[in-house]
Amino acid sequence: MRFRGPSSKFAVVMALPIAALALLTPASISAARAEMARAAPSDNAQAPGAGSVASVNPATGSQKSIASKAVDKVKEVAKSAGDILSRVPCRSPKGGAKTMGSLPHVAAKLVAGKPVVIVAFGSSSTWGAGATSPEFTYPNRLAAQLRRQYPGADITVVNRGKGGEDAPEMMKRLQTEVLDMNPDLVIWQVGTNAVLRNLDPTETAKLVEEGVGRIQAAGADLVLVDPQYSPAVNAKAENASRMVKLLGKVAELRHVGFFPRFEVMRDWHEGQSMPFDSFVVADGLHMNDWGYACFAQLLGDDIIKSVGQIKLGVNVPANVQAYKPM
């Protein structure tokens, strides 16, 4: 996986394709560790743990090769990834899910057998704060799911999450870190830090609508993701409610996809009676490994359903929203 952004280099070290891992050098590992130390989110969120990439055999005293250690790590991660949703199933909100609308650029690329570039754009919950390993962030989980669904496709998920940011800061890097990638799909997670910082939801929505227009003009499909339902966000209940409604309205007016993370997570807590600590870490804000896994699974299901309907020739209205209208 070509995984770029604040966690780019350590994600390359731990990326799932084993062939790529074998090409790493000790120098690149050192650089990755240094970059990881520099790339901590600005809101002081904990970084996903990357673990060690080399070990010493106690019997021989020799250092295990980087490639061998990476293979062991991949096996360990694959087992954990497979187990986590088996222990606690990931269910759609009550009433089921609807297609989020058409994703014509992604569908066209898959049908033509061309590479697909997806950019995950957002703040620390895109970057992966709260995850115990880079593999457990939602962009990596999503990439693995899409590759299982489309095993012959060349799918790249680029992580452009940066902790502590919201629409004002994201707009400043939209061109260089998103549009210059020529993405086929942008998944834009936004609004959480605006709520926490007491920014005006109306002003945030205006910036998001401007960004949506620029992404559409660049020829990319787009899915907006609203704030998470968690104790820290719920402490700003009025702002959170306004933000969620305004982002949904932007998606509806601009005819783009919308993943209602707030309602999905609320259903985990209220509809499925899951305590917050089963999907949110101790800071009361960021998701844990299970939370990211279920979020990625449901988002991936929506993407696959949308692409599948286009490939089958089903006429899907572009303004159909994911799940129930708010």
Side-chain angles (χ1 to χ4, degrees):
M1 179 183 305
R2 289 168 286 175
F3 200 90
R4 306 178 182 89
S7 56
S8 58
K9 296 183 181 177
F10 74 71
V12 171
V13 175
M14 302 311 303
L16 292 178
I18 295 173
L21 293 167
L23 298 177
L24 295 174
T25 65
S28 68
I29 298 300
S30 298
R33 286 175 173 163
E35 179 67 15
M36 183 178 175
R38 292 193 297 268
S42 58
D43 56 2
N44 297 318
Q46 264 198 330
S52 170
V53 295
S55 64
V56 176
N57 185 322
T60 65
S62 62
Q63 190 177 53
K64 194 171 185 180
S65 72
I66 293 171
S68 297
K69 182 62 179 177
V71 169
D72 291 344
K73 178 65 177 177
V74 169
K75 290 178 179 177
E76 176 187 339
V77 167
K79 183 177 185 301
S80 299
D83 288 347
I84 194 167
L85 294 182
S86 298
R87 294 194 297 269
V88 180
C90 175
R91 298 187 177 94
S92 297
K94 292 178 181 178
K98 301 176 182 178
T99 179
M100 64 172 59
S102 60
L103 300 175
H105 298 92
V106 175
K109 288 289 189 74
L110 289 171
V111 169
K114 296 180 179 179
V116 174
V117 176
I118 299 172
V119 175
F121 188 39
S123 57
S124 56
S125 63
T126 293
W127 182 77
T132 60
S133 171
E135 289 79 9
F136 296 156
T137 64
Y138 106 73
N140 266 329
R141 291 277 197 181
L142 177 63
Q145 179 184 0
L146 294 178
R147 285 172 176 163
R148 287 192 299 270
Q149 178 69 24
Y150 309 108
D154 178 5
I155 297 174
T156 299
V157 178
V158 183
N159 190 327
R160 293 302 194 207
K162 190 171 181 180
E165 289 196 349
D166 214 276
E169 297 84 9
M170 293 179 197
M171 288 294 288
K172 293 177 182 178
R173 60 189 180 95
L174 177 62
Q175 183 64 48
T176 56
E177 296 197 15
V178 178
L179 300 182
D180 286 352
M181 295 295 302
N182 296 315
D184 300 295
L185 170 63
V186 177
I187 303 169
W188 190 0
Q189 166 262 311
V190 66
T192 299
N193 286 310
V195 170
L196 298 179
R197 288 154 52 185
N198 293 314
L199 300 183
D200 183 355
T202 302
E203 292 303 313
T204 297
K206 288 178 181 177
L207 286 174
V208 171
E209 185 169 9
E210 178 187 340
V212 167
R214 289 175 60 186
I215 293 168
Q216 289 179 311
D221 297 331
L222 175 64
V223 175
L224 286 178
V225 177
D226 63 5
Q228 61 263 49
Y229 181 82
S230 65
V233 175
N234 296 347
K236 309 274 189 176
E238 184 178 350
N239 263 6
S241 177
R242 289 181 63 204
M243 184 67 69
V244 168
K245 290 177 181 178
L246 285 169
L247 290 175
K249 191 66 175 177
V250 169
E252 181 180 358
L253 292 175
R254 300 294 306 202
H255 303 293
V256 298
F258 183 66
F259 184 89
R261 180 172 57 158
F262 190 86
E263 292 301 326
V264 168
M265 294 179 69
R266 192 202 323 247
D267 185 78
W268 294 347
H269 184 60
E270 297 180 1
Q272 300 178 38
S273 301
M274 296 176 64
F276 278 115
D277 62 8
S278 63
F279 56 88
V280 175
V281 295
D283 67 2
L285 175 62
H286 298 98
M287 287 182 280
N288 61 16
D289 289 342
W290 186 91
Y292 283 123
C294 191
F295 168 38
Q297 179 70 47
L298 296 176
L299 175 60
D301 288 346
D302 273 1
I303 291 172
I304 290 165
K305 181 179 293 186
S306 296
V307 169
Q309 296 213 32
I310 296 169
K311 290 176 71 174
L312 291 171
V314 176
N315 183 21
V316 183
N319 63 347
V320 173
Q321 302 299 300
Y323 303 111
K324 294 181 178 179
M326 291 182 292

